[in-house]
Amino acid sequence: MSTSTHSIRILALLLSAAFAAAPALAKGGEGDEHGHGKGQAKHAEKAQEQADKHARKDWEKQRKQAQKDWDKDRKQAQKDDRRAAKERRRVQEVPVGAYFEDRHREAVRHYYVEQYGHARKCPPGLAKKNNGCMPPGQARKLAVGQPVPAGVTLYPVPQPVIVQLPPAPYGYRYARVGNDIVLVRNENQLIVDIIVNLLG
């Protein structure tokens, strides 16, 4: 075998070996000769996936909390509306002229006779004229179903009297006008019921 033929065979073997090794080098050597580039890319991709996952989780948590807060506010508003409607109905349901019972009238009159009877002393707003603390001058007549007349003073009712009466409904209050106790509606001073002539 000639030297040239032998050289050609060696060259062919080297080329074959090079071609056989090329795919293996390409597979494991992207980035640098040790394959670090591909590993770093995979690590970065995994880190990005984790960040996206956490971001989605946080967004979903915030969305659920916002929905929960909205539902809570809506339920509270509905509850407030129902309570307001109920209170409005309570204001309208107070019977005109039939709120006080005979026992209430007797208890209130008993208190005022004990405290102010026989001209011992007069409640505020009643003048002493030897007439049993009756209102002076032309006392304006109060009428159930009508508002308290303009210019008439409403005096507070003492606590010992309040406890003898049923609780004033929402939107109403008790007051003394001269020689009478009235239950009035706050919004328009309408007289709903009355106990007249406290001192007999």
Side-chain angles (χ1 to χ4, degrees), residues 61-73:
K61 184 178 180 181
Q62 291 174 2
R63 185 191 69 77
K64 287 182 178 178
Q65 185 61 46
Q67 182 69 39
K68 185 177 179 181
D69 292 343
W70 186 85
D71 288 341
K72 183 179 179 181
D73 291 343

Side-chain angles (χ1 to χ4, degrees), residues 10 14 31 66 132 149 158 188:
I10 292 174
L14 288 174
N188 55 11

Side-chain angles (χ1 to χ4, degrees), residues 15-122:
L15 285 174
S16 296
F19 283 124
L25 290 173
K27 184 176 181 181
E30 290 181 2
D32 64 14
E33 67 274 12
H34 302 295
H36 290 157
K38 187 171 183 181
Q40 290 175 351
K42 283 187 176 181
H43 180 71
E45 184 178 344
K46 187 174 181 181
Q48 184 61 45
E49 287 177 358
Q50 289 287 351
D52 292 345
K53 183 178 179 181
H54 286 304
R56 286 193 299 271
K57 188 175 180 181
D58 289 344
W59 181 86
E60 184 65 18
K61 184 178 180 181
Q62 291 174 2
R63 185 191 69 77
K64 287 182 178 178
Q65 185 61 46
Q67 182 69 39
K68 185 177 179 181
D69 292 343
W70 186 85
D71 288 341
K72 183 179 179 181
D73 291 343
R74 179 176 57 83
K75 288 178 181 178
Q76 184 62 45
Q78 290 174 343
K79 185 178 179 181
D80 292 342
D81 289 344
R82 286 194 298 270
R83 183 168 55 244
K86 184 177 179 181
E87 289 172 351
R88 285 194 297 271
R89 286 195 300 271
R90 285 174 60 190
V91 169
Q92 296 168 357
E93 290 171 1
V94 176
V96 175
Y99 194 74
F100 295 126
E101 299 176 5
D102 288 341
R103 61 189 174 94
H104 302 136
R105 300 176 195 281
E106 291 171 9
V108 170
R109 288 189 182 116
H110 178 75
Y111 171 83
Y112 276 95
V113 168
E114 287 290 316
Q115 294 295 314
Y116 304 109
H118 311 295
R120 283 193 292 269
K121 56 182 178 177
C122 291

Side-chain angles (χ1 to χ4, degrees), residues 95-100 105 144 191-194:
V96 175
Y99 194 74
F100 295 126
R105 300 176 195 281
V144 173
I191 299 173
V192 176
D193 208 350
I194 186 169

Side-chain angles (χ1 to χ4, degrees), residues 150-190:
V152 171
T153 303
L154 297 176
Y155 293 94
V157 176
Q159 187 62 28
V161 175
I162 293 287
V163 299
Q164 301 292 333
L165 300 172
Y170 177 83
Y172 294 79
R173 67 187 172 109
Y174 291 122
R176 184 179 58 78
V177 181
N179 202 31
D180 305 325
I181 295 286
V182 293
L183 175 66
V184 295
R185 186 180 293 176
N186 292 332
E187 62 182 353
N188 55 11
Q189 301 299 300
L190 182 76

